Amino acid sequence: MMTGSAGQLKKTIHIVAGGPEPLIPDLSENKNENIVWIGVDRGVQTIMRAGLYPDLAVGDFDSISQEEWEKIEREVASLRRFKPEKDETDMELAIMWALEMNASTVKVFGGTGGRLDHFMANALMLAKFKQVHPDIHFEMIDVQNNLSVYLPGSYEIKQDRKKFVSFIPVFSDVSGVTLEGFKYPLNHHYVPVGSSLCISNELIQETGHFSFEKGILMMIRSKD
């Protein structure tokens, strides 16, 4: 694992929210990896059904029964239960805890599907945290999509089963966008917020590159 400047181990943290389970990849594939697991509300039960052990359960747990809560109390070492009337969402509280734990990578599962307000809030929240913590990789994953956030710079991307690649400006327009190795290349292009210019592109080489000079880009890799 990576080591931080203060000598603390950098952690890979997976956060599982209470989104529709059919959209959540098989979490048990990560069983033998050194990952810290956080369950958000009903996401705690999703983790346990995958044969994994949550390191933390966080949320108001207003959507579970008393019997389910008692099981969580028995099986999860660390609990943070909040009143439903609060300023932060359960997901935001989970990410804040992950940052306290010196995360290098934060991956969110169960944050898509179902309610659009939850999905939009989660996606924009990742962009907000990326602004403040540029060295942390933030990603939201379901069976059909991978969503990640990037600050200005140059990046490499490889082909995988999610063949469609979309780039979406977040919060403000993005300038200097260059795409190499793509079906629809760009060279130092200006992409305003709300533009569909960079939607549903595809890699035509095994490895491609993208770069930009100003703004925040959300990259979504998808499959039909």
Side-chain angles (χ1 to χ4, degrees):
M1 268 190 185
M2 299 169 59
T3 303
S5 58
Q8 290 182 296
L9 286 176
K10 288 285 190 179
K11 299 179 177 66
T12 296
I13 297 182
H14 287 186
I15 300 173
V16 183
E21 284 200 46
L23 294 181
I24 299 176
D26 183 3
L27 301 179
S28 66
E29 293 179 354
N30 302 282
K31 187 171 289 186
N32 297 321
E33 305 211 12
N34 194 7
I35 292 169
V36 176
W37 290 92
I38 303 176
V40 177
D41 207 78
R42 298 190 69 86
V44 181
Q45 297 164 304
T46 303
I47 295 172
M48 292 191 292
R49 279 194 286 271
L52 301 165
Y53 298 95
D55 296 277
L56 173 71
V58 60
D60 52 42
F61 298 99
D62 59 348
S63 62
I64 67 172
S65 67
Q66 182 61 30
E67 182 181 355
E68 290 169 330
W69 170 248
E70 290 172 358
K71 182 178 180 181
I72 290 172
E73 282 189 305
R74 290 194 304 270
E75 298 190 17
V76 181
S78 183
L79 302 172
R80 290 192 179 186
R81 189 173 194 179
F82 299 88
K83 294 181 179 179
E85 300 79 14
K86 58 187 183 305
D87 293 333
E88 301 86 359
T89 64
D90 292 343
M91 177 61 70
E92 188 170 8
L93 292 168
I95 294 176
M96 290 167 64
W97 185 86
L99 298 176
E100 291 176 15
M101 294 296 102
N102 204 34
S104 62
T105 298
V106 176
K107 295 186 178 182
V108 175
F109 303 85
T112 64
R115 287 177 51 175
L116 285 177
D117 55 342
H118 286 175
F119 165 69
M120 290 296 295
N122 291 337
L124 294 176
M125 192 186 308
L126 294 188
K128 181 191 76 171
F129 279 114
K130 183 67 175 181
Q131 285 180 297
V132 182
H133 303 276
D135 295 331
I136 299 177
H137 176 71
F138 293 95
E139 189 170 1
M140 188 155 55
I141 302 168
D142 65 23
V143 294
Q144 194 171 356
N145 310 278
N146 283 58
L147 181 155
S148 48
V149 185
Y150 294 88
L151 300 180
S154 181
Y155 304 92
E156 181 178 275
I157 178 174
K158 293 185 179 296
Q159 287 180 330
D160 65 14
R161 289 177 295 175
K162 295 182 171 73
K163 74 171 187 174
F164 298 110
V165 186
S166 298
F167 296 97
I168 301 173
V170 183
F171 302 140
S172 64
D173 300 344
V174 173
S175 59
V177 178
T178 296
L179 304 179
E180 299 173 339
F182 287 82
K183 184 176 182 179
Y184 306 107
L186 290 177
N187 185 25
H188 290 88
H189 211 86
Y190 178 82
V191 184
V193 169
S195 170
S196 61
L197 176 67
C198 297
I199 301 297
S200 294
N201 211 330
E202 299 177 40
L203 281 168
I204 57 174
Q205 299 177 7
E206 184 177 338
T207 300
H209 295 85
F210 69 94
S211 62
F212 61 106
E213 298 167 356
K214 186 177 180 180
I216 304 176
L217 273 182
M218 189 174 289
M219 181 178 75
I220 302 176
R221 305 193 68 171
S222 306
K223 64 180 180 180
D224 285 331

